Amino acid sequence: MTDPKHITEAPDESRGSEISIEQRQVAGLSQGAIVRRRFFQHRGAVVSLIAFGLLVLLAFSSVGTVIGGSGEYAVDTTSGTLGIDGFRIAGWWDKDWWTRYPIVNGGQPTITLWPFSIGEHPFGQDDLGKDMFARVMRGTQQSLVVVFLAGIISTIIGVVVGAFSGFYRGRIDSLLMRFTDVIIIIPILVLGAVLATTFGGDALTIGILLGAIAWTGLARLVRAEFLALREREFVDAARVAGASDGRIIFKHILPNTVGVIVVNSTLLMSAAILIEVSLSFLGFGIQTPDISLGQLINQYQGAFNTRPWLFWWPGIFIIIIALCINFVGDGLRDAFDPRQKRVPNFNGPMSEMRRWWAQRGADRAGAVAPGGSAIDASAPDGSSRGGSTEDR
Amino acid sequence: MFSFVARRLVATLLVLLVASFVVYVLTAVSGDPLEELRGSRDPDAQAKIADLANKLDLDTPPVLRYFAWLGGAAGCLVGNCDLGISVARGELPVTEVIATAMGSTLQLVTAATILAILFGVAIGMTTALRQYSGYDYTVTFATFVFYSLPVFWVAVLLKQYGGIAFNQFLGDPVIPWWFIPIFGLVTGFILMAVVGGGLATRIKTFLFTGLAGAALLLLLDVTGWFAEPSIGIVGIILFSVANALIVASLTTGLRDKPALIAFGIAAVGAPVALWFPFQFLFFFGNAWWTIALVAIILVAIGAIVGWLFGGDRRGNLARVVGLAAGLGTIPLVFDQMFQRWATYESIIPLSSGVISTIGSSTPAIDRTDDYWLQMLDSLTHMILPTATLMLISLAAYTRYSRASLLEVMNQDYVRTARAKGLSERVVVMRHAFRNAMIPIATIIAFDFGGLIGGAVITETVFAWKGMGAVFSDALARTDVNLMMGFFLVTGVLAVIFNIIADLLYSALDPRIRVS
């Protein structure tokens, strides 16, 4: 019936309806809103995001930072103490990462859980008396700087290379892909180490260098996406409307590839921290006097038997950073992919045990369970059986 | 097809040339090979500097030196390699240094990769089949954690706990009483989750495997097996029965009587019966070909027995029983190695423990003539670095195979196979598994490409003199020739395996053909 009243009602749910339940759920929301909502349903990712944020806050605020300067130590002539070159912003932690303090408690960590107290040196001291908490915080800062720089730079380069390569195809594609191959063929540790040895060993440089060599995987993925998307009708429509190439690439196709880019960006960042830490461990990354978590582990690996805390704390922080980034990346991947849904398993053994327990209770109370047997391993739709007729 | 391979080869050759140029120039610019000599107080220093500068041709700029090196490297194609001399290794020719280093690294990474593939694919596929179960969530979380672990941290931890602490335990091997029930619980849980099924089946599996695991550990403890490990005929029987059961349950199912009899005869009976005769073979044929011979004999026996009992499906059964029988070589070889345990313990130096944390072999044992003793020595030296390398590879393979199998299980043809009435085992092993392995095969090819250069950190921590040490030394001493030798090997291997991966993909998947 073409009654005008019915036009404003919900679409007909009988066969042939185009709108699925899933589409109804997200009706009226932008892609960003949908992704945000799905992301926040992923508990692990949200917890990791919060933990990561707290970690960044802790690392940068606790011991402050040094801007500019060469990072070298210099004796401050007025007060006679050792200072650091560059503009120093102090943090709320009263110790810094280069001064030798008198050894307390044999260098062991002074943190206690019950009663809770931080003590003088919560992460302990090394054999020279330097405060490990300050050193680990400084190392975390440097690693985070490298991670963010490398992530941002490699994302930009990867997206640009992949976009142009996939959109234009032909000679530009061949050229760009061969250039990418050259970088892929050289093992990243080799390339990173050689570049770091040549251009110096502070966090900013390492971050930029890693960003300049780690974009290849992302470029390939973006290229694949562009190759597929450039055949779609909206590209033709935009071209017919008179859009330039640049506009089509960045305003039409690129927003559709955001999912892939964001997910791989986070994976890139977690790989970046592991590469940086490995480089520093081998001695080719961030050089002394500046500190990196990998360098700390390299320095103290022999001390494991006598002073294990020197080894545990930097490692734990590396793992926390890498884990948080990985979890957030996984949450983003789940948020962007509309096909993945966590379906609760109504037929699993835990559900079966719960049903059996509930049925036993129902049996004792006098209600008769249809079918009789409490444990029926072959029932394919135990959920409906369990939910319909019992008195609970 | 041929033109495709040719085009790819030309393109990759160009890429290799450009990449090698980049590496050469970057390495040459990164430092000074004569730095150590310049700072030396040796009276001959100046003469040595001049000599070395002459040999390495340090007066010419790096760009021109590259072409000289290229000329020498091109000689490799005709079998006359001249890669220059290595400053970091006492002016030995680079080819010699790389050859010895490569053997060492290959030994390590091959074992680690093969084990990682086997276990990773097995675990990944079982988690895919039991998706959303507690086992699945646990394994996924564990792979996440392993992905985020830095290699060197794991290496140092394993060195400490797997090596030093374990050696102390072996000095006085008493298993604390609380460990046995926990071990039983853990094995019970794992197998219960893997076998699956309804609640009753799970409880039965859990109890059975838990008790069996705990009983086994108790037995080993009481008999003092950890002090003097050996396998012997009892071990051979246990291994063979387990081996036959697993292979049978995966391929023919446990209800197929003729197949079970075939397995019993070939996979259990043959190794057990031939154990004693093989002792002589192993003793007199003191080399690697003994293993190959034993394997061939067992596989032949298995194939013949399978053929005889096969009936309609003799080809299939012959293949499968042959495989199971061939796997019986492994406990026989391990038995030989463990027979030398007492000798091994007496020869190793007092400072190092049984599980070694340094180096790739004990020099005293290298000098003996006993192949099985040397094999045991290699095994104990390889365990910790292999475990380190394996852990992270394992996580990656688990994730890939899980994703791959999940994708395959959602396909229409799997649903059709189930609708036809095929048992779950047939659906998974005969249909889903093969298609899920296609992307994994290409990943394996890629992985083998990056193998040689991938163990740098592990080799540094465990002090193996392999390709990792070559890279470290080359960069630390700005030894351009050695670095180029390293890059040549890793680059060429990466390229070859990339092409193999592409060819493999198009060969395995008829839907993808080169255009």
Side-chain angles (χ1 to χ4, degrees):
Chain A
M1 288 293 195
T2 50
D3 191 334
K5 270 202 309 240
H6 289 273
I7 294 174
T8 50
E9 285 179 1
D12 189 12
E13 291 212 77
S14 57
R15 49 170 189 255
S17 166
E18 293 294 316
I19 301 187
S20 68
I21 297 176
E22 212 174 74
Q23 284 174 314
R24 255 173 222 259
Q25 247 183 351
V26 299
L29 297 173
S30 69
Q31 188 195 25
I34 298 173
V35 168
R36 249 199 317 277
R37 186 199 282 191
R38 287 176 63 96
F39 180 77
F40 286 119
Q41 284 170 355
H42 193 292
R43 275 172 310 183
V46 171
V47 166
S48 301
L49 195 61
I50 298 176
F52 190 66
L54 287 175
L55 185 78
V56 172
L57 209 60
L58 179 68
F60 279 98
S61 67
S62 56
V63 292
T65 182
V66 176
I67 299 187
S70 64
E72 295 288 329
Y73 299 137
V75 179
D76 191 3
T77 43
T78 46
S79 56
T81 55
L82 195 64
I84 200 162
D85 187 31
F87 181 68
R88 167 114 170 96
I89 304 175
W92 49 263
W93 186 249
D94 56 340
K95 306 190 176 56
D96 52 48
W97 60 85
W98 63 85
T99 320
R100 304 181 188 189
Y101 297 96
I103 302 219
V104 166
N105 195 18
Q108 285 174 8
T110 54
I111 191 169
T112 51
L113 281 176
W114 187 258
F116 184 75
S117 93
I118 305 264
E120 279 283 305
H121 298 278
F123 288 3
Q125 290 166 287
D126 70 355
D127 53 340
L128 294 173
K130 300 190 189 174
D131 179 37
M132 274 310 285
F133 179 74
R135 285 173 82 74
V136 170
M137 287 299 116
R138 178 66 180 165
T140 314
Q141 275 179 27
Q142 302 292 67
S143 300
L144 286 171
V145 164
V146 170
V147 161
F148 282 122
L149 260 183
I152 294 174
I153 293 180
S154 56
T155 305
I156 295 176
I157 301 181
V159 167
V160 167
V161 168
F164 282 120
S165 181
F167 186 77
Y168 287 113
R169 296 170 71 169
R171 310 256 320 251
I172 298 185
D173 180 25
S174 294
L175 203 66
L176 283 173
M177 278 301 109
R178 293 291 85 80
F179 171 62
T180 314
D181 279 344
V182 168
I183 302 199
I184 290 181
I185 253 188
I186 310 175
I188 196 167
L189 219 56
V190 172
L191 196 53
V194 172
L195 284 174
T197 319
T198 320
F199 293 111
D202 66 308
L204 280 176
T205 323
I206 303 266
I208 296 175
L209 288 173
L210 276 184
I213 60 178
W215 49 266
T216 52
L218 186 62
R220 277 188 157 172
L221 282 166
V222 171
R223 171 179 177 268
E225 289 281 315
F226 266 73
L227 281 176
L229 283 171
R230 84 196 277 283
E231 313 298 334
R232 299 275 288 269
E233 311 82 9
F234 64 83
V235 173
D236 290 336
R239 205 179 281 290
V240 161
S244 68
D245 279 346
R247 194 181 167 89
I248 294 180
I249 291 179
F250 290 106
K251 281 194 102 65
H252 292 278
I253 305 185
L254 198 60
N256 288 297
T257 59
V258 158
V260 168
I261 294 176
V262 163
V263 169
N264 278 282
S265 218
T266 46
L267 291 181
L268 245 168
M269 286 205 268
S270 84
I273 181 164
L274 291 177
I275 295 174
E276 182 270 315
V277 148
S278 306
L279 279 178
S280 306
F281 177 78
L282 289 173
F284 299 123
I286 296 184
Q287 309 281 0
T288 48
D290 211 348
I291 301 178
S292 149
L293 291 171
Q295 194 205 85
L296 284 177
I297 297 189
N298 183 23
Q299 205 176 354
Y300 300 130
Q301 61 172 312
F304 195 84
N305 271 317
T306 45
R307 272 181 277 258
W309 60 89
L310 295 178
F311 179 80
W312 283 107
W313 288 110
I316 289 180
F317 272 82
I318 300 175
I319 295 178
I320 292 179
I321 297 177
L323 249 183
C324 287
I325 301 181
N326 273 331
F327 263 116
V328 168
D330 194 51
L332 283 170
R333 192 203 323 251
D334 276 354
F336 274 106
D337 186 352
R339 283 171 299 166
Q340 289 230 27
K341 261 197 122 53
R342 291 274 160 102
V343 179
N345 188 3
F346 289 124
N347 298 325
M350 290 305 291
S351 317
E352 224 179 303
M353 251 194 323
R354 262 183 254 126
R355 275 196 302 280
W356 174 74
W357 190 258
Q359 278 186 4
R360 276 175 73 249
D363 283 344
R364 280 216 203 97
V368 174
S373 65
I375 304 174
D376 190 341
S378 60
D381 54 344
S383 54
S384 60
R385 256 189 77 235
S388 48
T389 45
E390 261 90 52
D391 286 324
R392 296 274 164 93
Chain B
M1 173 64 91
F2 182 68
S3 70
F4 169 74
V5 174
R7 261 186 295 133
R8 279 296 297 267
L9 274 176
V10 169
T12 40
L13 200 66
L14 277 172
V15 167
L16 258 180
L17 281 173
V18 176
S20 58
F21 179 71
V22 167
V23 174
Y24 194 97
V25 173
L26 279 180
T27 320
V29 166
S30 75
D32 181 13
L34 301 171
E35 197 176 327
E36 218 178 88
L37 276 179
R38 282 192 219 279
S40 146
R41 287 177 213 274
D42 193 353
D44 287 336
Q46 286 302 324
K48 281 192 190 150
I49 289 176
D51 184 42
L52 210 53
N54 197 17
K55 278 198 205 145
L56 292 178
D57 208 11
L58 288 176
D59 291 326
T60 42
V63 182
L64 295 178
R65 262 189 281 153
Y66 169 72
F67 291 103
W69 175 85
L70 195 59
C76 282
L77 292 171
V78 284
N80 184 21
C81 260
D82 175 24
L83 294 173
I85 57 168
S86 158
V87 174
R89 294 290 171 92
E91 298 183 28
L92 282 173
V94 168
T95 37
E96 222 176 277
V97 178
I98 300 264
T100 35
M102 199 156 77
S104 186
T105 303
L106 264 179
Q107 206 185 9
L108 178 63
V109 294
T110 323
T113 311
I114 292 181
L115 283 173
I117 293 173
L118 285 176
F119 284 118
V121 169
I123 296 179
M125 299 222 168
T126 47
T127 49
L129 293 173
R130 309 271 169 248
Q131 203 188 12
Y132 303 137
S133 65
Y135 170 66
D136 183 25
Y137 287 136
T138 319
V139 169
T140 311
F141 181 72
T143 51
F144 256 117
V145 175
F146 287 151
Y147 245 0
S148 322
L149 289 179
V151 177
F152 52 86
W153 203 70
V154 174
V156 178
L157 274 182
L158 269 181
K159 205 168 148 176
Q160 175 64 25
Y161 290 118
I164 300 176
F166 191 67
N167 283 331
Q168 283 173 350
F169 163 74
L170 282 183
D172 182 22
V174 174
I175 299 184
W177 64 269
W178 45 264
F179 187 74
I180 298 180
I182 293 182
F183 181 75
L185 275 172
V186 169
T187 40
F189 264 121
I190 295 177
L191 271 149
M192 171 181 84
V194 170
V195 167
L199 190 60
T201 322
R202 283 181 188 244
I203 292 183
K204 276 186 267 187
T205 324
F206 174 71
L207 286 174
F208 179 71
T209 45
L211 287 172
L216 185 67
L217 196 59
L218 190 63
L219 194 69
L220 290 178
D221 187 25
V222 162
T223 54
W225 189 83
F226 289 103
E228 177 101 17
S230 67
I231 296 195
I233 193 70
V234 177
I236 304 274
I237 295 177
L238 283 174
F239 271 116
S240 308
V241 168
N243 170 35
L245 273 177
I246 293 176
V247 177
S249 63
L250 283 179
T251 50
T252 60
L254 292 173
R255 300 183 199 275
D256 188 347
K257 291 282 187 320
L260 279 185
I261 299 178
F263 273 110
I265 296 178
V268 179
V272 171
L274 291 173
W275 177 72
F276 192 65
F278 277 155
Q279 299 296 310
F280 295 98
L281 180 63
F282 282 129
F283 184 76
F284 289 111
N286 201 6
W288 63 270
W289 53 261
T290 324
I291 306 178
L293 188 61
V294 167
I296 291 175
I297 294 176
L298 284 175
V299 167
I301 294 178
I304 294 173
V305 170
W307 184 268
L308 290 174
F309 281 83
D312 287 333
R313 46 191 166 73
R314 13 173 58 119
N316 186 34
L317 196 63
R319 261 203 310 265
V320 162
V321 177
L323 171 74
L327 288 176
T329 329
I330 299 176
L332 287 170
V333 170
F334 271 81
D335 177 47
Q336 284 302 307
M337 292 199 289
F338 280 117
Q339 279 178 11
R340 271 79 174 166
W341 185 264
T343 330
Y344 173 70
E345 264 196 300
S346 64
I347 291 190
I348 52 173
L350 282 170
S351 55
S352 86
V354 166
I355 306 277
S356 171
T357 53
I358 298 183
S360 55
S361 61
T362 315
I365 291 183
D366 281 338
R367 287 194 285 270
T368 63
D369 219 357
D370 193 343
Y371 182 72
W372 309 109
L373 187 59
Q374 286 170 3
M375 236 181 130
L376 179 62
D377 186 41
S378 298
L379 184 74
T380 50
H381 277 94
M382 252 175 34
I383 270 191
L384 289 179
T386 306
T388 313
L389 277 177
M390 227 182 75
L391 228 47
I392 301 177
S393 253
L394 190 80
Y397 277 112
T398 308
R399 296 219 79 192
Y400 287 137
S401 51
R402 179 177 181 274
S404 178
L405 189 64
L406 276 178
E407 212 176 291
V408 165
M409 294 298 275
N410 284 326
Q411 299 279 350
D412 288 342
Y413 58 85
V414 171
R415 197 172 40 168
T416 311
R418 286 210 189 102
K420 272 164 54 174
L422 297 174
S423 71
E424 195 64 18
R425 177 183 56 78
V426 172
V427 169
V428 170
M429 294 304 297
R430 259 190 106 70
H431 297 286
F433 178 71
R434 295 183 186 202
N435 293 297
M437 283 303 287
I438 295 177
I440 310 279
T442 47
I443 292 173
I444 292 177
F446 277 122
D447 211 17
F448 267 102
L451 223 46
I452 299 274
V456 177
I457 295 179
T458 313
E459 286 182 12
T460 311
V461 174
F462 288 105
W464 274 52
K465 287 269 161 274
M467 294 295 274
V470 163
F471 165 69
S472 279
D473 294 342
L475 194 55
R477 293 288 309 272
T478 320
D479 189 347
V480 187
N481 288 329
L482 195 58
M483 178 67 86
M484 290 312 290
F486 174 83
F487 173 72
L488 199 61
V489 171
T490 48
V492 167
L493 277 175
V495 157
I496 292 179
F497 277 100
N498 265 346
I499 299 184
I500 291 182
D502 280 342
L503 290 177
L504 208 61
Y505 213 173
S506 68
L508 289 175
D509 191 347
R511 295 172 300 178
I512 300 173
R513 288 287 182 223
V514 292
S515 52

